[in-house]
Amino acid sequence: MKKLIILLMLVTCGIGMGWAQTTIGLTQPLDETAKTVGEKTWTGMDNVTITKDLGSAINDRTDNKSVQLNGVAYSTPNGCWRKTVNGSYDNQYLGYTLSIANGYSLSISKVDARILVADDTYNWYVEILDATNKQLYKSKEKTTKKASTQSLSETVTLTGITGTAKVRLYVKQGGSTKYFVADKLTVQAQVTVDERTSYTVTTSCNPENGGTVTPSGETSFVEGSDVALTAQSNTGYKFINWTIDGTEYSDNPYTISSISANHTAVANFEALPKISFAKGSDAEIIGDLPATDYVEKGQSYTLPVAYHLTKGGHTLTAWNDGTKDYAVGEQINITGDITLTPVFTANTVAFGDADATVNWPLSQNNGAPSIKCEKAKMYYVQRATINGTAIDAVMHIDASSGKFDNSSDVTRAQVNSGTVFTIPACTGMVVTITCTGTPATDAFSFNGNNADAVDTKAKTITYTYTGTVSTLTIMDMGKNQYPSMLSVKYPAPKSYTLAAKAGYYHSLYLDYNAVIPEGVTAYTGTLNSEETTINLTKIDGNIIPANTGVVVKADAAGDKVFEETSETATVDAGSLKGVLAETVATELAQESKVVLTLGINSEGTFGFRKPAGGKIGANKIYLLVSEAAAAKGISMSFDDETTGISEVNTENADNNAATYDLTGRRVNAGAKGLLIRNGKKFIVK
C-alpha cells in the first residue's frame, strides 16, 4: 500500500520521470531554402539512453553527397549513409539502441520513418527488437521511387519493454551503390515505473581479456523472463564453460529459464598455444611474415608457405623452432607457444633448366590455397618444381603508380593503370593472363611489347617472351581487364646430340647459345679474300653463340650433347653459315656463288665439297664460294694444329698421282695422316 501511495504522489506532482508521451530517435532537419540536410540528432528521454546502431554493411558518410526529395537534389554536409552490398538486407540497417534504466519499462505507440534517396530505387522496412533480438514489431516493406521521398507512419502497441529495445531501419538497393538519408526514424514512447519484481544477472570473463559476454555486467530482468547468456572468445582463446552460482555448464549460449533469483555468471576461457613468426637475424629476408596463428594444445598445425616472404636466389624450404628444422607444409604437433623463423636454401636450379609451370592466382577464389592481397604486397611467391627440386617463383608487385587489390572482389584483382608485375624470365616462356573483362592485346605491356594473341572466349591474353634478360616486366595499361590468374610455362632448355667419331670434323649450326661439351673443340671459319683457304679459329671458352656456324672435333667417339645456356660469348661468326632444317643447296646459292658443305670422301679425306644429293642436313653448316674456287679446292687452316687440305671437286682430282708426307717421302696408297698430292695437302684418317 505504501508503494502505491508513493507512485500516486509522483504522478500527481508531475516529477520528471519521463512518463509523458515523448518522441525519441533519429531526426535530420531539411532546409528547403538552401536545399541541404542538417545535423543528425539522436534524442532520448529520462531513464532511457540512446546510442547509434549501424549494421556492418552500412557506411556512415561524412563527406557531402547528393540525395533527392521529390525530384530536388539536397546536399548532405553533415553526413548520410551508403549501402555497400547490393540486393540484400543482411547487416544493412541503421538505427539506435534504447537502454532502459532499471526499475522502468518502455511503451511504444507509434513509429515514424522517412528516407531520402539518390537516383535509384530502394526497398526498406522498420523493425523493433528486444535485448535478445526477438522481433517485437516489423512494418510492411516499402519501395521508394527514384528521385523521391517515402514515409512510414504506423500505430503500434508495445508495452512493458525492459532492459533494451533496438529500433532499426533496414535498406536494400537493386542498382549500383548510391546514397540515402534517413531524416526521420522516431518512436512515440512512454516510460513508467515497472512494478514487477526484477532480478539481476551479473556477468564477467575469466580471464578478463579472454572474451566478451552478452549481457555484460549487471543487468536486470523481470521475474519469469528467460535470460540467454552468450560468450564469445577473443583471438587466442577458446570458451571452456560457464560458472553460474558456483556450478559449471558447458552450453553456449546458456539460458537461465524463468528467472526467479539473482545470479552470477562467469564465462571461462582458456589461452590457446600461440604460433608466431619472425625473420631472425638474416637481413636478406624481405617481405611479410605469415600472420600469428593459434590452435588447441595437442592439435597438429601445417607449416605455411610464406606467400609474401622471399630471399634473393633462395627458396623457403623449412621453418625452425630454435632447435629443429621442419619442412614447409609439414604437420607438427603443438604443445605450447612456438616462434618459427624461415630457413632459405640456395637455389641449385633456375627457370629454363627444365619444363615448369607457375600459376600466380590474382583472385581469392583460386582453389587451394586462397590468396588475399590488399593494396599490393611487395612480394608474391608461388612454388615451381624444376628437375624435381622446389624453387620459389617470386612476383614483385609495384602498385605505387596504380592499384592491386582483391579484398573486395574475391573472383579477380582490381589492377589499375600503372601497376607493374615483375616475374622471373627465360627465353621461350609463354605468359597467359586470364581476365574477367574482355581482353585486348594492348591491355598489358610485356617489357614494352603488346600481347601476341587474345582469346575472347576464354578471356585470355598470351605473350611469348623471346628476350634474354632474366626478368619480365608486365604493366597494366588501364583497359579494365581485371586479371584473375597469371600463368607462365617455362620451357626446358634446347639441346642437340651429335653422334661424334673420334678425330673426325663435324659441322654444327644451332639457333641458341650452347655449351661446348667436355672433350670437344669448336672452330669458327673465315674465308680469305682469294677464296683459297678457310681459316678455322678455336673458340675460347665453352660457349658457341646462337646462329654461328662451327666445325667441331671430338677427342673420343660417342654422343656429344650441346645444351642451351643463358650465358653469352662474343665470337666472330666468320664465313660459315648454317641451316636448322634440311635444305636444298640451290635455294641457298647466290649469284655466281655455289654451296659447299663439310664432308669426307671415300678415301677418308675431309673437306668442303658440293653436298651429296644436293641437300644440306639439319643443323649443318655451308660455305658460299665462286665456281672457280670450288673447282680448285679450299684449304682448311687451323690456328691450333697442323693444316689439313681438302679437294672440293674430287671428280677432277688425280687420285693416282704421287703422294708424299710432310717430310717429302713418297708413300703408298693406304697411308694415313697429313699428306700432299698434286701440290695440295689433305688428311686421311
Side-chain angles (χ1 to χ4, degrees):
M1 185 66 182
K2 182 177 181 181
K3 182 176 181 181
L4 178 59
I5 294 173
I6 293 173
L7 290 174
L8 290 173
M9 289 177 64
L10 289 173
V11 172
T12 303
C13 296
I15 296 175
M17 299 291 285
W19 292 355
Q21 191 90 343
T22 305
T23 300
I24 61 175
L26 165 68
T27 56
Q28 284 188 265
L30 300 177
D31 186 332
E32 296 289 352
T33 302
K35 304 303 179 187
T36 60
V37 182
E39 190 77 36
K40 294 192 284 276
T41 302
W42 306 85
T43 304
M45 61 191 298
D46 289 343
N47 302 307
V48 177
T49 57
I50 186 169
T51 54
K52 181 169 62 175
D53 180 19
L54 289 182
S56 60
I58 291 288
N59 292 337
D60 190 353
R61 306 290 300 203
T62 56
D63 49 345
N64 188 19
K65 297 295 179 182
S66 176
V67 295
Q68 303 284 338
L69 178 57
N70 296 325
V72 178
Y74 282 71
S75 63
T76 59
N78 297 293
C80 62
W81 286 273
R82 185 182 80 176
K83 175 182 164 309
T84 59
V85 181
N86 288 329
S88 169
Y89 283 123
D90 292 343
N91 295 315
Q92 293 176 187
Y93 63 84
L94 65 91
Y96 47 88
T97 298
L98 300 173
S99 299
I100 305 159
N102 290 337
Y104 295 87
S105 64
L106 180 72
S107 299
I108 298 176
S109 58
K110 187 179 180 183
V111 174
D112 288 296
R114 185 167 75 164
I115 61 174
L116 289 64
V117 301
D119 55 346
D120 214 327
T121 300
Y122 281 75
N123 287 9
W124 60 290
Y125 65 87
V126 173
E127 185 177 42
I128 300 176
L129 309 168
D130 68 7
T132 63
N133 288 328
K134 178 182 177 181
Q135 187 183 90
L136 303 177
Y137 163 82
K138 180 181 178 181
S139 72
K140 293 182 179 179
E141 186 176 22
K142 303 183 82 61
T143 301
T144 64
K145 297 179 180 179
K146 292 185 179 181
S148 68
T149 184
Q150 190 74 24
S151 297
L152 176 147
S153 182
E154 292 191 29
T155 300
V156 299
T157 303
L158 295 176
T159 61
I161 305 172
T162 59
T164 301
K166 302 172 186 178
V167 182
R168 292 176 176 176
L169 170 64
Y170 279 84
V171 182
K172 77 173 181 179
Q173 176 203 8
S176 58
T177 300
K178 299 293 183 180
Y179 303 90
F180 71 94
V181 167
D183 78 314
K184 182 187 296 184
L185 177 57
T186 61
V187 295
Q188 292 289 321
Q190 182 177 4
V191 177
T192 58
V193 174
D194 189 351
E195 295 183 308
R196 293 175 297 176
T197 302
S198 63
Y199 298 98
T200 61
V201 175
T202 304
T203 59
S204 61
C205 296
N206 175 38
E208 187 175 347
N209 61 345
T212 58
V213 291
T214 303
S216 178
E218 184 177 305
T219 308
S220 295
F221 296 92
V222 174
E223 183 177 18
S225 300
D226 291 339
V227 180
L229 304 176
T230 303
Q232 178 65 50
S233 58
N234 288 335
T235 300
Y237 290 86
K238 74 170 183 177
F239 172 78
I240 301 300
N241 57 27
W242 289 97
T243 301
I244 302 176
D245 302 329
T247 303
E248 294 183 351
Y249 302 90
S250 59
D251 291 348
N252 185 36
Y254 178 82
T255 299
I256 301 174
S257 300
S258 190
I259 190 170
S260 59
N262 297 329
H263 296 281
T264 299
V266 179
N268 299 305
F269 300 93
E270 179 183 274
L272 297 173
K274 180 180 180 181
I275 305 168
S276 55
F277 299 87
K279 293 181 182 178
S281 59
D282 192 341
E284 295 182 15
I285 298 174
I286 53 179
D288 295 337
L289 289 162
T292 298
D293 207 348
Y294 301 88
V295 298
E296 293 193 27
K297 187 178 296 185
Q299 287 191 351
S300 62
Y301 176 77
T302 302
L303 295 174
V305 174
Y307 293 98
H308 306 297
L309 193 68
T310 184
K311 179 179 178 180
H314 291 69
T315 294
L316 178 67
T317 55
W319 293 96
N320 184 274
D321 65 357
T323 303
K324 180 181 177 182
D325 285 353
Y326 300 93
V328 170
E330 182 178 346
Q331 288 190 335
I332 61 175
N333 188 56
I334 300 298
T335 59
D337 291 350
I338 185 174
T339 299
L340 298 166
T341 56
V343 177
F344 283 88
T345 302
N347 293 335
T348 58
V349 293
F351 291 103
D353 285 354
D355 287 331
T357 299
V358 180
N359 295 320
W360 280 283
L362 304 180
S363 67
Q364 293 185 54
N365 287 349
N366 57 61
S370 180
I371 307 299
K372 182 177 182 181
C373 293
E374 297 180 9
K375 312 304 181 187
K377 298 290 185 181
M378 185 173 293
Y379 299 95
Y380 184 2
V381 180
Q382 285 292 323
R383 191 60 50 86
T385 300
I386 301 174
N387 286 336
T389 301
I391 183 171
D392 283 349
V394 181
M395 174 191 288
H396 179 270
I397 304 171
D398 183 355
S400 58
S401 298
K403 180 180 181 181
F404 174 65
D405 191 349
N406 63 14
S407 59
S408 59
D409 190 330
V410 300
T411 64
R412 46 85 170 173
Q414 181 177 346
V415 181
N416 290 0
S417 180
T419 301
V420 175
F421 304 91
T422 303
I423 60 175
C426 73
T427 302
M429 75 178 191
V430 179
V431 182
T432 301
I433 301 177
T434 303
C435 307
T436 56
T438 301
T441 56
D442 60 350
F444 297 88
S445 70
F446 303 84
N447 279 4
N449 302 312
N450 287 344
D452 300 324
V454 168
D455 186 334
T456 55
K457 184 176 181 180
K459 295 189 175 181
T460 58
I461 299 169
T462 302
Y463 174 77
T464 301
Y465 177 65
T466 58
T468 57
V469 295
S470 59
T471 58
L472 175 66
T473 297
I474 304 170
M475 178 181 287
D476 183 90
M477 304 304 292
K479 302 291 184 177
N480 296 325
Q481 303 297 278
Y482 300 125
S484 60
M485 179 74 75
L486 193 155
S487 301
V488 182
K489 290 184 177 180
Y490 293 93
K494 297 179 181 179
S495 66
Y496 178 83
T497 301
L498 175 67
K501 296 181 180 180
Y504 271 55
Y505 293 95
H506 300 272
S507 136
L508 183 64
Y509 181 82
L510 302 170
D511 62 348
Y512 57 84
N513 296 340
V515 177
I516 301 173
E518 188 175 350
V520 174
T521 306
Y523 303 87
T524 57
T526 303
L527 184 66
N528 68 358
S529 58
E530 294 82 11
E531 293 190 313
T532 59
T533 304
I534 181 83
N535 296 309
L536 297 172
T537 302
K538 179 183 176 182
I539 294 177
D540 291 330
N542 67 335
I543 305 299
I544 301 173
N547 306 311
T548 301
V550 292
V551 173
V552 297
K553 185 177 77 168
D555 294 340
D559 288 346
K560 308 300 178 184
V561 180
F562 293 79
E563 293 186 337
E564 184 181 18
T565 178
S566 59
E567 296 183 60
T568 59
T570 302
V571 172
D572 184 0
S575 306
L576 299 177
K577 304 179 183 300
V579 295
L580 297 175
E582 185 179 75
T583 306
V584 176
T586 54
E587 295 178 359
L588 303 171
Q590 299 176 6
E591 184 178 355
S592 73
K593 297 286 186 179
V594 295
V595 172
L596 304 181
T597 59
L598 180 64
I600 186 170
N601 65 12
S602 59
E603 295 182 350
T605 303
F606 285 95
F608 280 89
R609 61 188 72 252
K610 291 181 179 179
K615 295 181 179 180
I616 302 174
N619 301 106
K620 302 301 181 184
I621 61 173
Y622 66 92
L623 184 65
L624 288 172
V625 300
S626 64
E627 287 281 3
K632 293 178 181 179
I634 303 298
S635 170
M636 294 169 56
S637 176
F638 293 81
D639 65 354
D640 68 332
E641 62 179 53
T642 307
T643 306
I645 295 190
S646 170
E647 299 174 72
V648 177
N649 195 356
T650 59
E651 57 266 41
N652 295 328
D654 182 3
N655 292 327
N656 295 318
T659 304
Y660 302 87
D661 64 17
L662 292 183
T663 67
R665 294 180 303 172
R666 184 169 181 170
V667 296
N668 297 322
K672 299 183 182 299
L674 185 60
L675 306 175
I676 300 173
R677 181 190 297 147
N678 293 328
K680 300 175 183 177
K681 287 181 280 186
F682 61 94
I683 295 175
V684 178
K685 298 293 185 180

